[in-house]
Amino acid sequence: MYNRKDSYYYKAKQEGYKSRAAYKIIELNQKYKLIRKGDNILDCGAAPGGWSQVALNLVGQAGRVVAVDYAEIMGINNPNFTFIQGDMKDEKIIEAVHALGVYDTILTDMAPKTTGIKVKDHVDSLELVQIAFGLAERSLKPGGSFVAKIFDGEDRQAYIKQLEKRFKEVRTSRP
């Protein structure tokens, strides 16, 4: 059984991060230099806000982080942070995201409500990634980065092949 309250959970609480997931984006950024000072970042499915916190630190005063989620994000009080509460499938939400400009990096750590049925959870995960990728196609700067979590399953490799047609470089990682 997976224990969400592992050492990363306690480390995140101790270091002031909203979630243990903060360490995923820290590790990915150290490896791939996805987020730089001055960048504009879109964080899809951002609650509770761990990735947004890290992104804000990385972009500095000249950058901006826009976060979108159903659930409200509390406690990130930074003038360079904009939170949009709502459904990523809602055209009004999509328009609000676009109205804020184009993005250097689009992040999604969205996960479906898991059922324990691996095939269903995989398909639901892939659907969420496709929603975020739809935003990326419309609002990612040329040469920008798209970072997505995809549950393992039979369609994962086929989707990665689709991404390879759209991006100069596609990498997979298990942070």
mmCIF file with all atom_site columns, all heavy atoms in Angstrom, residues 4 18-19 21 43-52 67-74 76 81 83-85 109-111 149:
data_model
loop_
_atom_site.group_PDB
_atom_site.id
_atom_site.type_symbol
_atom_site.label_atom_id
_atom_site.label_alt_id
_atom_site.label_comp_id
_atom_site.label_asym_id
_atom_site.label_entity_id
_atom_site.label_seq_id
_atom_site.pdbx_PDB_ins_code
_atom_site.Cartn_x
_atom_site.Cartn_y
_atom_site.Cartn_z
_atom_site.occupancy
_atom_site.B_iso_or_equiv
_atom_site.pdbx_formal_charge
_atom_site.auth_seq_id
_atom_site.auth_comp_id
_atom_site.auth_asym_id
_atom_site.auth_atom_id
_atom_site.pdbx_PDB_model_num
ATOM 1   N N   . ARG A 1 4   ? 1.236   7.975  1.540   1.00 0.00 ? 4   ARG A N   1
ATOM 2   C CA  . ARG A 1 4   ? 1.398   9.379  1.148   1.00 0.00 ? 4   ARG A CA  1
ATOM 3   C C   . ARG A 1 4   ? 2.186   10.152 2.199   1.00 0.00 ? 4   ARG A C   1
ATOM 4   O O   . ARG A 1 4   ? 2.744   11.192 1.904   1.00 0.00 ? 4   ARG A O   1
ATOM 5   C CB  . ARG A 1 4   ? 0.041   10.032 0.952   1.00 0.00 ? 4   ARG A CB  1
ATOM 6   C CG  . ARG A 1 4   ? -0.697  9.451  -0.224  1.00 0.00 ? 4   ARG A CG  1
ATOM 7   C CD  . ARG A 1 4   ? -1.880  10.292 -0.509  1.00 0.00 ? 4   ARG A CD  1
ATOM 8   N NE  . ARG A 1 4   ? -1.435  11.349 -1.395  1.00 0.00 ? 4   ARG A NE  1
ATOM 9   C CZ  . ARG A 1 4   ? -1.943  11.579 -2.585  1.00 0.00 ? 4   ARG A CZ  1
ATOM 10  N NH1 . ARG A 1 4   ? -2.911  10.853 -3.016  1.00 0.00 ? 4   ARG A NH1 1
ATOM 11  N NH2 . ARG A 1 4   ? -1.487  12.542 -3.329  1.00 0.00 ? 4   ARG A NH2 1
ATOM 12  N N   . LYS A 1 18  ? 3.484   23.207 0.104   1.00 0.00 ? 18  LYS A N   1
ATOM 13  C CA  . LYS A 1 18  ? 2.094   22.793 0.235   1.00 0.00 ? 18  LYS A CA  1
ATOM 14  C C   . LYS A 1 18  ? 1.899   21.307 -0.049  1.00 0.00 ? 18  LYS A C   1
ATOM 15  O O   . LYS A 1 18  ? 0.869   20.759 0.320   1.00 0.00 ? 18  LYS A O   1
ATOM 16  C CB  . LYS A 1 18  ? 1.212   23.623 -0.688  1.00 0.00 ? 18  LYS A CB  1
ATOM 17  C CG  . LYS A 1 18  ? 1.184   25.071 -0.263  1.00 0.00 ? 18  LYS A CG  1
ATOM 18  C CD  . LYS A 1 18  ? 0.186   25.853 -1.038  1.00 0.00 ? 18  LYS A CD  1
ATOM 19  C CE  . LYS A 1 18  ? -0.080  27.158 -0.374  1.00 0.00 ? 18  LYS A CE  1
ATOM 20  N NZ  . LYS A 1 18  ? -0.739  27.063 0.897   1.00 0.00 ? 18  LYS A NZ  1
ATOM 21  N N   . SER A 1 19  ? 2.852   20.681 -0.723  1.00 0.00 ? 19  SER A N   1
ATOM 22  C CA  . SER A 1 19  ? 2.734   19.250 -1.001  1.00 0.00 ? 19  SER A CA  1
ATOM 23  C C   . SER A 1 19  ? 4.098   18.638 -1.265  1.00 0.00 ? 19  SER A C   1
ATOM 24  O O   . SER A 1 19  ? 5.043   19.339 -1.631  1.00 0.00 ? 19  SER A O   1
ATOM 25  C CB  . SER A 1 19  ? 1.821   19.009 -2.207  1.00 0.00 ? 19  SER A CB  1
ATOM 26  O OG  . SER A 1 19  ? 2.465   19.437 -3.389  1.00 0.00 ? 19  SER A OG  1
ATOM 27  N N   . ALA A 1 21  ? 4.720   16.952 -3.734  1.00 0.00 ? 21  ALA A N   1
ATOM 28  C CA  . ALA A 1 21  ? 4.947   17.041 -5.174  1.00 0.00 ? 21  ALA A CA  1
ATOM 29  C C   . ALA A 1 21  ? 5.930   18.147 -5.535  1.00 0.00 ? 21  ALA A C   1
ATOM 30  O O   . ALA A 1 21  ? 6.499   18.139 -6.631  1.00 0.00 ? 21  ALA A O   1
ATOM 31  C CB  . ALA A 1 21  ? 3.619   17.249 -5.901  1.00 0.00 ? 21  ALA A CB  1
ATOM 32  N N   . ASP A 1 43  ? 0.303   26.512 -14.462 1.00 0.00 ? 43  ASP A N   1
ATOM 33  C CA  . ASP A 1 43  ? 0.240   25.297 -13.644 1.00 0.00 ? 43  ASP A CA  1
ATOM 34  C C   . ASP A 1 43  ? -1.206  24.798 -13.662 1.00 0.00 ? 43  ASP A C   1
ATOM 35  O O   . ASP A 1 43  ? -2.076  25.367 -13.003 1.00 0.00 ? 43  ASP A O   1
ATOM 36  C CB  . ASP A 1 43  ? 0.705   25.616 -12.227 1.00 0.00 ? 43  ASP A CB  1
ATOM 37  C CG  . ASP A 1 43  ? 0.806   24.400 -11.319 1.00 0.00 ? 43  ASP A CG  1
ATOM 38  O OD1 . ASP A 1 43  ? 0.509   23.272 -11.765 1.00 0.00 ? 43  ASP A OD1 1
ATOM 39  O OD2 . ASP A 1 43  ? 1.184   24.591 -10.137 1.00 0.00 ? 43  ASP A OD2 1
ATOM 40  N N   . CYS A 1 44  ? -1.472  23.752 -14.437 1.00 0.00 ? 44  CYS A N   1
ATOM 41  C CA  . CYS A 1 44  ? -2.821  23.194 -14.594 1.00 0.00 ? 44  CYS A CA  1
ATOM 42  C C   . CYS A 1 44  ? -3.074  22.139 -13.523 1.00 0.00 ? 44  CYS A C   1
ATOM 43  O O   . CYS A 1 44  ? -2.251  21.244 -13.328 1.00 0.00 ? 44  CYS A O   1
ATOM 44  C CB  . CYS A 1 44  ? -2.964  22.545 -15.965 1.00 0.00 ? 44  CYS A CB  1
ATOM 45  S SG  . CYS A 1 44  ? -2.640  23.628 -17.352 1.00 0.00 ? 44  CYS A SG  1
ATOM 46  N N   . GLY A 1 45  ? -4.228  22.228 -12.868 1.00 0.00 ? 45  GLY A N   1
ATOM 47  C CA  . GLY A 1 45  ? -4.524  21.286 -11.785 1.00 0.00 ? 45  GLY A CA  1
ATOM 48  C C   . GLY A 1 45  ? -3.583  21.537 -10.625 1.00 0.00 ? 45  GLY A C   1
ATOM 49  O O   . GLY A 1 45  ? -2.972  20.618 -10.097 1.00 0.00 ? 45  GLY A O   1
ATOM 50  N N   . ALA A 1 46  ? -3.466  22.780 -10.233 1.00 0.00 ? 46  ALA A N   1
ATOM 51  C CA  . ALA A 1 46  ? -2.390  23.236 -9.356  1.00 0.00 ? 46  ALA A CA  1
ATOM 52  C C   . ALA A 1 46  ? -2.572  22.955 -7.866  1.00 0.00 ? 46  ALA A C   1
ATOM 53  O O   . ALA A 1 46  ? -1.588  22.964 -7.126  1.00 0.00 ? 46  ALA A O   1
ATOM 54  C CB  . ALA A 1 46  ? -2.198  24.743 -9.543  1.00 0.00 ? 46  ALA A CB  1
ATOM 55  N N   . ALA A 1 47  ? -3.796  22.747 -7.405  1.00 0.00 ? 47  ALA A N   1
ATOM 56  C CA  . ALA A 1 47  ? -4.011  22.581 -5.957  1.00 0.00 ? 47  ALA A CA  1
ATOM 57  C C   . ALA A 1 47  ? -3.295  21.326 -5.460  1.00 0.00 ? 47  ALA A C   1
ATOM 58  O O   . ALA A 1 47  ? -3.234  20.330 -6.183  1.00 0.00 ? 47  ALA A O   1
ATOM 59  C CB  . ALA A 1 47  ? -5.501  22.506 -5.653  1.00 0.00 ? 47  ALA A CB  1
ATOM 60  N N   . PRO A 1 48  ? -2.701  21.391 -4.305  1.00 0.00 ? 48  PRO A N   1
ATOM 61  C CA  . PRO A 1 48  ? -2.745  22.445 -3.304  1.00 0.00 ? 48  PRO A CA  1
ATOM 62  C C   . PRO A 1 48  ? -1.753  23.590 -3.515  1.00 0.00 ? 48  PRO A C   1
ATOM 63  O O   . PRO A 1 48  ? -1.769  24.569 -2.796  1.00 0.00 ? 48  PRO A O   1
ATOM 64  C CB  . PRO A 1 48  ? -2.436  21.710 -2.002  1.00 0.00 ? 48  PRO A CB  1
ATOM 65  C CG  . PRO A 1 48  ? -1.545  20.592 -2.408  1.00 0.00 ? 48  PRO A CG  1
ATOM 66  C CD  . PRO A 1 48  ? -2.035  20.176 -3.780  1.00 0.00 ? 48  PRO A CD  1
ATOM 67  N N   . GLY A 1 49  ? -0.881  23.473 -4.523  1.00 0.00 ? 49  GLY A N   1
ATOM 68  C CA  . GLY A 1 49  ? -0.015  24.603 -4.839  1.00 0.00 ? 49  GLY A CA  1
ATOM 69  C C   . GLY A 1 49  ? 1.473   24.368 -4.722  1.00 0.00 ? 49  GLY A C   1
ATOM 70  O O   . GLY A 1 49  ? 2.250   25.311 -4.854  1.00 0.00 ? 49  GLY A O   1
ATOM 71  N N   . GLY A 1 50  ? 1.904   23.150 -4.505  1.00 0.00 ? 50  GLY A N   1
ATOM 72  C CA  . GLY A 1 50  ? 3.329   22.851 -4.355  1.00 0.00 ? 50  GLY A CA  1
ATOM 73  C C   . GLY A 1 50  ? 4.152   23.200 -5.584  1.00 0.00 ? 50  GLY A C   1
ATOM 74  O O   . GLY A 1 50  ? 5.224   23.799 -5.475  1.00 0.00 ? 50  GLY A O   1
ATOM 75  N N   . TRP A 1 51  ? 3.651   22.844 -6.773  1.00 0.00 ? 51  TRP A N   1
ATOM 76  C CA  . TRP A 1 51  ? 4.389   23.165 -7.994  1.00 0.00 ? 51  TRP A CA  1
ATOM 77  C C   . TRP A 1 51  ? 4.401   24.675 -8.212  1.00 0.00 ? 51  TRP A C   1
ATOM 78  O O   . TRP A 1 51  ? 5.399   25.233 -8.659  1.00 0.00 ? 51  TRP A O   1
ATOM 79  C CB  . TRP A 1 51  ? 3.782   22.443 -9.191  1.00 0.00 ? 51  TRP A CB  1
ATOM 80  C CG  . TRP A 1 51  ? 4.183   20.996 -9.311  1.00 0.00 ? 51  TRP A CG  1
ATOM 81  C CD1 . TRP A 1 51  ? 4.557   20.167 -8.299  1.00 0.00 ? 51  TRP A CD1 1
ATOM 82  C CD2 . TRP A 1 51  ? 4.249   20.237 -10.507 1.00 0.00 ? 51  TRP A CD2 1
ATOM 83  N NE1 . TRP A 1 51  ? 4.848   18.927 -8.795  1.00 0.00 ? 51  TRP A NE1 1
ATOM 84  C CE2 . TRP A 1 51  ? 4.656   18.936 -10.146 1.00 0.00 ? 51  TRP A CE2 1
ATOM 85  C CE3 . TRP A 1 51  ? 3.982   20.503 -11.832 1.00 0.00 ? 51  TRP A CE3 1
ATOM 86  C CZ2 . TRP A 1 51  ? 4.819   17.916 -11.083 1.00 0.00 ? 51  TRP A CZ2 1
ATOM 87  C CZ3 . TRP A 1 51  ? 4.143   19.487 -12.758 1.00 0.00 ? 51  TRP A CZ3 1
ATOM 88  C CH2 . TRP A 1 51  ? 4.560   18.213 -12.398 1.00 0.00 ? 51  TRP A CH2 1
ATOM 89  N N   . SER A 1 52  ? 3.299   25.338 -7.928  1.00 0.00 ? 52  SER A N   1
ATOM 90  C CA  . SER A 1 52  ? 3.243   26.796 -8.088  1.00 0.00 ? 52  SER A CA  1
ATOM 91  C C   . SER A 1 52  ? 4.239   27.490 -7.171  1.00 0.00 ? 52  SER A C   1
ATOM 92  O O   . SER A 1 52  ? 4.900   28.454 -7.579  1.00 0.00 ? 52  SER A O   1
ATOM 93  C CB  . SER A 1 52  ? 1.829   27.316 -7.809  1.00 0.00 ? 52  SER A CB  1
ATOM 94  O OG  . SER A 1 52  ? 0.932   26.933 -8.822  1.00 0.00 ? 52  SER A OG  1
ATOM 95  N N   . ALA A 1 67  ? -2.107  29.731 -12.041 1.00 0.00 ? 67  ALA A N   1
ATOM 96  C CA  . ALA A 1 67  ? -2.511  28.402 -11.589 1.00 0.00 ? 67  ALA A CA  1
ATOM 97  C C   . ALA A 1 67  ? -4.013  28.236 -11.789 1.00 0.00 ? 67  ALA A C   1
ATOM 98  O O   . ALA A 1 67  ? -4.781  29.166 -11.568 1.00 0.00 ? 67  ALA A O   1
ATOM 99  C CB  . ALA A 1 67  ? -2.161  28.221 -10.114 1.00 0.00 ? 67  ALA A CB  1
ATOM 100 N N   . VAL A 1 68  ? -4.417  27.018 -12.199 1.00 0.00 ? 68  VAL A N   1
ATOM 101 C CA  . VAL A 1 68  ? -5.823  26.712 -12.426 1.00 0.00 ? 68  VAL A CA  1
ATOM 102 C C   . VAL A 1 68  ? -6.169  25.412 -11.713 1.00 0.00 ? 68  VAL A C   1
ATOM 103 O O   . VAL A 1 68  ? -5.412  24.436 -11.801 1.00 0.00 ? 68  VAL A O   1
ATOM 104 C CB  . VAL A 1 68  ? -6.125  26.549 -13.937 1.00 0.00 ? 68  VAL A CB  1
ATOM 105 C CG1 . VAL A 1 68  ? -7.604  26.262 -14.162 1.00 0.00 ? 68  VAL A CG1 1
ATOM 106 C CG2 . VAL A 1 68  ? -5.685  27.759 -14.717 1.00 0.00 ? 68  VAL A CG2 1
ATOM 107 N N   . ASP A 1 69  ? -7.296  25.414 -11.010 1.00 0.00 ? 69  ASP A N   1
ATOM 108 C CA  . ASP A 1 69  ? -7.784  24.179 -10.385 1.00 0.00 ? 69  ASP A CA  1
ATOM 109 C C   . ASP A 1 69  ? -9.229  24.376 -9.946  1.00 0.00 ? 69  ASP A C   1
ATOM 110 O O   . ASP A 1 69  ? -9.686  25.508 -9.751  1.00 0.00 ? 69  ASP A O   1
ATOM 111 C CB  . ASP A 1 69  ? -6.938  23.791 -9.166  1.00 0.00 ? 69  ASP A CB  1
ATOM 112 C CG  . ASP A 1 69  ? -7.037  22.301 -8.853  1.00 0.00 ? 69  ASP A CG  1
ATOM 113 O OD1 . ASP A 1 69  ? -8.138  21.815 -8.545  1.00 0.00 ? 69  ASP A OD1 1
ATOM 114 O OD2 . ASP A 1 69  ? -6.005  21.623 -8.944  1.00 0.00 ? 69  ASP A OD2 1
ATOM 115 N N   . TYR A 1 70  ? -9.927  23.244 -9.764  1.00 0.00 ? 70  TYR A N   1
ATOM 116 C CA  . TYR A 1 70  ? -11.257 23.258 -9.141  1.00 0.00 ? 70  TYR A CA  1
ATOM 117 C C   . TYR A 1 70  ? -11.149 23.766 -7.709  1.00 0.00 ? 70  TYR A C   1
ATOM 118 O O   . TYR A 1 70  ? -11.922 24.580 -7.252  1.00 0.00 ? 70  TYR A O   1
ATOM 119 C CB  . TYR A 1 70  ? -11.815 21.834 -9.005  1.00 0.00 ? 70  TYR A CB  1
ATOM 120 C CG  . TYR A 1 70  ? -12.459 21.238 -10.196 1.00 0.00 ? 70  TYR A CG  1
ATOM 121 C CD1 . TYR A 1 70  ? -11.989 20.030 -10.705 1.00 0.00 ? 70  TYR A CD1 1
ATOM 122 C CD2 . TYR A 1 70  ? -13.564 21.816 -10.799 1.00 0.00 ? 70  TYR A CD2 1
ATOM 123 C CE1 . TYR A 1 70  ? -12.594 19.432 -11.780 1.00 0.00 ? 70  TYR A CE1 1
ATOM 124 C CE2 . TYR A 1 70  ? -14.164 21.224 -11.879 1.00 0.00 ? 70  TYR A CE2 1
ATOM 125 C CZ  . TYR A 1 70  ? -13.680 20.029 -12.368 1.00 0.00 ? 70  TYR A CZ  1
ATOM 126 O OH  . TYR A 1 70  ? -14.272 19.435 -13.425 1.00 0.00 ? 70  TYR A OH  1
ATOM 127 N N   . ALA A 1 71  ? -10.195 23.162 -6.995  1.00 0.00 ? 71  ALA A N   1
ATOM 128 C CA  . ALA A 1 71  ? -10.022 23.458 -5.571  1.00 0.00 ? 71  ALA A CA  1
ATOM 129 C C   . ALA A 1 71  ? -9.242  24.756 -5.399  1.00 0.00 ? 71  ALA A C   1
ATOM 130 O O   . ALA A 1 71  ? -8.310  25.046 -6.153  1.00 0.00 ? 71  ALA A O   1
ATOM 131 C CB  . ALA A 1 71  ? -9.278  22.312 -4.888  1.00 0.00 ? 71  ALA A CB  1
ATOM 132 N N   . GLU A 1 72  ? -9.627  25.518 -4.413  1.00 0.00 ? 72  GLU A N   1
ATOM 133 C CA  . GLU A 1 72  ? -8.961  26.787 -4.143  1.00 0.00 ? 72  GLU A CA  1
ATOM 134 C C   . GLU A 1 72  ? -7.557  26.555 -3.600  1.00 0.00 ? 72  GLU A C   1
ATOM 135 O O   . GLU A 1 72  ? -7.311  25.621 -2.847  1.00 0.00 ? 72  GLU A O   1
ATOM 136 C CB  . GLU A 1 72  ? -9.780  27.599 -3.135  1.00 0.00 ? 72  GLU A CB  1
ATOM 137 C CG  . GLU A 1 72  ? -9.290  29.013 -2.988  1.00 0.00 ? 72  GLU A CG  1
ATOM 138 C CD  . GLU A 1 72  ? -10.206 29.871 -2.145  1.00 0.00 ? 72  GLU A CD  1
ATOM 139 O OE1 . GLU A 1 72  ? -11.275 29.398 -1.737  1.00 0.00 ? 72  GLU A OE1 1
ATOM 140 O OE2 . GLU A 1 72  ? -9.835  31.020 -1.901  1.00 0.00 ? 72  GLU A OE2 1
ATOM 141 N N   . ILE A 1 73  ? -6.660  27.427 -3.986  1.00 0.00 ? 73  ILE A N   1
ATOM 142 C CA  . ILE A 1 73  ? -5.303  27.410 -3.445  1.00 0.00 ? 73  ILE A CA  1
ATOM 143 C C   . ILE A 1 73  ? -5.210  28.544 -2.446  1.00 0.00 ? 73  ILE A C   1
ATOM 144 O O   . ILE A 1 73  ? -5.476  29.696 -2.780  1.00 0.00 ? 73  ILE A O   1
ATOM 145 C CB  . ILE A 1 73  ? -4.247  27.580 -4.554  1.00 0.00 ? 73  ILE A CB  1
ATOM 146 C CG1 . ILE A 1 73  ? -4.288  26.384 -5.499  1.00 0.00 ? 73  ILE A CG1 1
ATOM 147 C CG2 . ILE A 1 73  ? -2.857  27.750 -3.947  1.00 0.00 ? 73  ILE A CG2 1
ATOM 148 C CD1 . ILE A 1 73  ? -3.338  26.501 -6.665  1.00 0.00 ? 73  ILE A CD1 1
ATOM 149 N N   . MET A 1 74  ? -4.849  28.212 -1.241  1.00 0.00 ? 74  MET A N   1
ATOM 150 C CA  . MET A 1 74  ? -4.768  29.201 -0.164  1.00 0.00 ? 74  MET A CA  1
ATOM 151 C C   . MET A 1 74  ? -3.310  29.458 0.194   1.00 0.00 ? 74  MET A C   1
ATOM 152 O O   . MET A 1 74  ? -2.471  28.570 0.083   1.00 0.00 ? 74  MET A O   1
ATOM 153 C CB  . MET A 1 74  ? -5.500  28.679 1.072   1.00 0.00 ? 74  MET A CB  1
ATOM 154 C CG  . MET A 1 74  ? -6.938  28.241 0.808   1.00 0.00 ? 74  MET A CG  1
ATOM 155 S SD  . MET A 1 74  ? -8.033  29.596 0.533   1.00 0.00 ? 74  MET A SD  1
ATOM 156 C CE  . MET A 1 74  ? -8.380  30.035 2.202   1.00 0.00 ? 74  MET A CE  1
ATOM 157 N N   . ILE A 1 76  ? -0.855  31.469 -0.940  1.00 0.00 ? 76  ILE A N   1
ATOM 158 C CA  . ILE A 1 76  ? 0.223   31.935 -1.818  1.00 0.00 ? 76  ILE A CA  1
ATOM 159 C C   . ILE A 1 76  ? -0.068  33.409 -2.097  1.00 0.00 ? 76  ILE A C   1
ATOM 160 O O   . ILE A 1 76  ? -0.905  33.744 -2.925  1.00 0.00 ? 76  ILE A O   1
ATOM 161 C CB  . ILE A 1 76  ? 0.322   31.128 -3.125  1.00 0.00 ? 76  ILE A CB  1
ATOM 162 C CG1 . ILE A 1 76  ? 0.625   29.654 -2.831  1.00 0.00 ? 76  ILE A CG1 1
ATOM 163 C CG2 . ILE A 1 76  ? 1.414   31.723 -4.023  1.00 0.00 ? 76  ILE A CG2 1
ATOM 164 C CD1 . ILE A 1 76  ? 0.754   28.772 -4.060  1.00 0.00 ? 76  ILE A CD1 1
ATOM 165 N N   . PHE A 1 81  ? 1.555   35.905 -8.761  1.00 0.00 ? 81  PHE A N   1
ATOM 166 C CA  . PHE A 1 81  ? 0.760   34.673 -8.774  1.00 0.00 ? 81  PHE A CA  1
ATOM 167 C C   . PHE A 1 81  ? -0.689  35.022 -9.059  1.00 0.00 ? 81  PHE A C   1
ATOM 168 O O   . PHE A 1 81  ? -1.268  35.892 -8.414  1.00 0.00 ? 81  PHE A O   1
ATOM 169 C CB  . PHE A 1 81  ? 0.866   33.962 -7.419  1.00 0.00 ? 81  PHE A CB  1
ATOM 170 C CG  . PHE A 1 81  ? 0.068   32.691 -7.324  1.00 0.00 ? 81  PHE A CG  1
ATOM 171 C CD1 . PHE A 1 81  ? 0.462   31.562 -8.014  1.00 0.00 ? 81  PHE A CD1 1
ATOM 172 C CD2 . PHE A 1 81  ? -1.078  32.637 -6.540  1.00 0.00 ? 81  PHE A CD2 1
ATOM 173 C CE1 . PHE A 1 81  ? -0.270  30.385 -7.928  1.00 0.00 ? 81  PHE A CE1 1
ATOM 174 C CE2 . PHE A 1 81  ? -1.813  31.459 -6.438  1.00 0.00 ? 81  PHE A CE2 1
ATOM 175 C CZ  . PHE A 1 81  ? -1.415  30.335 -7.136  1.00 0.00 ? 81  PHE A CZ  1
ATOM 176 N N   . PHE A 1 83  ? -4.431  33.067 -9.532  1.00 0.00 ? 83  PHE A N   1
ATOM 177 C CA  . PHE A 1 83  ? -5.166  31.816 -9.410  1.00 0.00 ? 83  PHE A CA  1
ATOM 178 C C   . PHE A 1 83  ? -6.516  31.949 -10.101 1.00 0.00 ? 83  PHE A C   1
ATOM 179 O O   . PHE A 1 83  ? -7.233  32.930 -9.882  1.00 0.00 ? 83  PHE A O   1
ATOM 180 C CB  . PHE A 1 83  ? -5.371  31.437 -7.938  1.00 0.00 ? 83  PHE A CB  1
ATOM 181 C CG  . PHE A 1 83  ? -6.220  30.220 -7.772  1.00 0.00 ? 83  PHE A CG  1
ATOM 182 C CD1 . PHE A 1 83  ? -5.799  28.989 -8.233  1.00 0.00 ? 83  PHE A CD1 1
ATOM 183 C CD2 . PHE A 1 83  ? -7.468  30.295 -7.173  1.00 0.00 ? 83  PHE A CD2 1
ATOM 184 C CE1 . PHE A 1 83  ? -6.592  27.855 -8.107  1.00 0.00 ? 83  PHE A CE1 1
ATOM 185 C CE2 . PHE A 1 83  ? -8.269  29.169 -7.031  1.00 0.00 ? 83  PHE A CE2 1
ATOM 186 C CZ  . PHE A 1 83  ? -7.826  27.947 -7.499  1.00 0.00 ? 83  PHE A CZ  1
ATOM 187 N N   . ILE A 1 84  ? -6.832  30.974 -10.935 1.00 0.00 ? 84  ILE A N   1
ATOM 188 C CA  . ILE A 1 84  ? -8.116  30.900 -11.614 1.00 0.00 ? 84  ILE A CA  1
ATOM 189 C C   . ILE A 1 84  ? -8.798  29.624 -11.136 1.00 0.00 ? 84  ILE A C   1
ATOM 190 O O   . ILE A 1 84  ? -8.280  28.525 -11.371 1.00 0.00 ? 84  ILE A O   1
ATOM 191 C CB  . ILE A 1 84  ? -7.955  30.873 -13.146 1.00 0.00 ? 84  ILE A CB  1
ATOM 192 C CG1 . ILE A 1 84  ? -7.223  32.133 -13.619 1.00 0.00 ? 84  ILE A CG1 1
ATOM 193 C CG2 . ILE A 1 84  ? -9.314  30.715 -13.827 1.00 0.00 ? 84  ILE A CG2 1
ATOM 194 C CD1 . ILE A 1 84  ? -6.808  32.087 -15.081 1.00 0.00 ? 84  ILE A CD1 1
ATOM 195 N N   . GLN A 1 85  ? -9.936  29.771 -10.466 1.00 0.00 ? 85  GLN A N   1
ATOM 196 C CA  . GLN A 1 85  ? -10.633 28.596 -9.948  1.00 0.00 ? 85  GLN A CA  1
ATOM 197 C C   . GLN A 1 85  ? -11.700 28.157 -10.942 1.00 0.00 ? 85  GLN A C   1
ATOM 198 O O   . GLN A 1 85  ? -12.548 28.946 -11.354 1.00 0.00 ? 85  GLN A O   1
ATOM 199 C CB  . GLN A 1 85  ? -11.287 28.897 -8.593  1.00 0.00 ? 85  GLN A CB  1
ATOM 200 C CG  . GLN A 1 85  ? -11.851 27.662 -7.929  1.00 0.00 ? 85  GLN A CG  1
ATOM 201 C CD  . GLN A 1 85  ? -12.238 27.911 -6.492  1.00 0.00 ? 85  GLN A CD  1
ATOM 202 O OE1 . GLN A 1 85  ? -12.254 29.039 -6.014  1.00 0.00 ? 85  GLN A OE1 1
ATOM 203 N NE2 . GLN A 1 85  ? -12.543 26.840 -5.786  1.00 0.00 ? 85  GLN A NE2 1
ATOM 204 N N   . ASP A 1 109 ? 0.219   18.442 -13.176 1.00 0.00 ? 109 ASP A N   1
ATOM 205 C CA  . ASP A 1 109 ? 0.358   17.309 -12.260 1.00 0.00 ? 109 ASP A CA  1
ATOM 206 C C   . ASP A 1 109 ? -1.047  16.788 -11.939 1.00 0.00 ? 109 ASP A C   1
ATOM 207 O O   . ASP A 1 109 ? -1.268  16.167 -10.918 1.00 0.00 ? 109 ASP A O   1
ATOM 208 C CB  . ASP A 1 109 ? 1.084   17.763 -10.989 1.00 0.00 ? 109 ASP A CB  1
ATOM 209 C CG  . ASP A 1 109 ? 1.558   16.599 -10.127 1.00 0.00 ? 109 ASP A CG  1
ATOM 210 O OD1 . ASP A 1 109 ? 1.815   15.519 -10.673 1.00 0.00 ? 109 ASP A OD1 1
ATOM 211 O OD2 . ASP A 1 109 ? 1.663   16.781 -8.902  1.00 0.00 ? 109 ASP A OD2 1
ATOM 212 N N   . MET A 1 110 ? -1.998  17.093 -12.840 1.00 0.00 ? 110 MET A N   1
ATOM 213 C CA  . MET A 1 110 ? -3.382  16.669 -12.608 1.00 0.00 ? 110 MET A CA  1
ATOM 214 C C   . MET A 1 110 ? -3.463  15.152 -12.541 1.00 0.00 ? 110 MET A C   1
ATOM 215 O O   . MET A 1 110 ? -2.764  14.455 -13.275 1.00 0.00 ? 110 MET A O   1
ATOM 216 C CB  . MET A 1 110 ? -4.299  17.148 -13.740 1.00 0.00 ? 110 MET A CB  1
ATOM 217 C CG  . MET A 1 110 ? -4.557  18.621 -13.741 1.00 0.00 ? 110 MET A CG  1
ATOM 218 S SD  . MET A 1 110 ? -5.866  19.100 -14.896 1.00 0.00 ? 110 MET A SD  1
ATOM 219 C CE  . MET A 1 110 ? -5.039  18.951 -16.473 1.00 0.00 ? 110 MET A CE  1
ATOM 220 N N   . ALA A 1 111 ? -4.331  14.699 -11.674 1.00 0.00 ? 111 ALA A N   1
ATOM 221 C CA  . ALA A 1 111 ? -4.584  13.264 -11.566 1.00 0.00 ? 111 ALA A CA  1
ATOM 222 C C   . ALA A 1 111 ? -6.078  13.065 -11.380 1.00 0.00 ? 111 ALA A C   1
ATOM 223 O O   . ALA A 1 111 ? -6.736  13.857 -10.699 1.00 0.00 ? 111 ALA A O   1
ATOM 224 C CB  . ALA A 1 111 ? -3.825  12.676 -10.379 1.00 0.00 ? 111 ALA A CB  1
ATOM 225 N N   . LYS A 1 149 ? 2.208   14.729 -16.041 1.00 0.00 ? 149 LYS A N   1
ATOM 226 C CA  . LYS A 1 149 ? 2.217   13.421 -15.390 1.00 0.00 ? 149 LYS A CA  1
ATOM 227 C C   . LYS A 1 149 ? 1.195   12.549 -16.111 1.00 0.00 ? 149 LYS A C   1
ATOM 228 O O   . LYS A 1 149 ? 0.052   12.956 -16.301 1.00 0.00 ? 149 LYS A O   1
ATOM 229 C CB  . LYS A 1 149 ? 1.830   13.551 -13.919 1.00 0.00 ? 149 LYS A CB  1
ATOM 230 C CG  . LYS A 1 149 ? 1.631   12.202 -13.231 1.00 0.00 ? 149 LYS A CG  1
ATOM 231 C CD  . LYS A 1 149 ? 1.367   12.318 -11.753 1.00 0.00 ? 149 LYS A CD  1
ATOM 232 C CE  . LYS A 1 149 ? 0.079   13.014 -11.444 1.00 0.00 ? 149 LYS A CE  1
ATOM 233 N NZ  . LYS A 1 149 ? -0.180  13.158 -10.019 1.00 0.00 ? 149 LYS A NZ  1
#
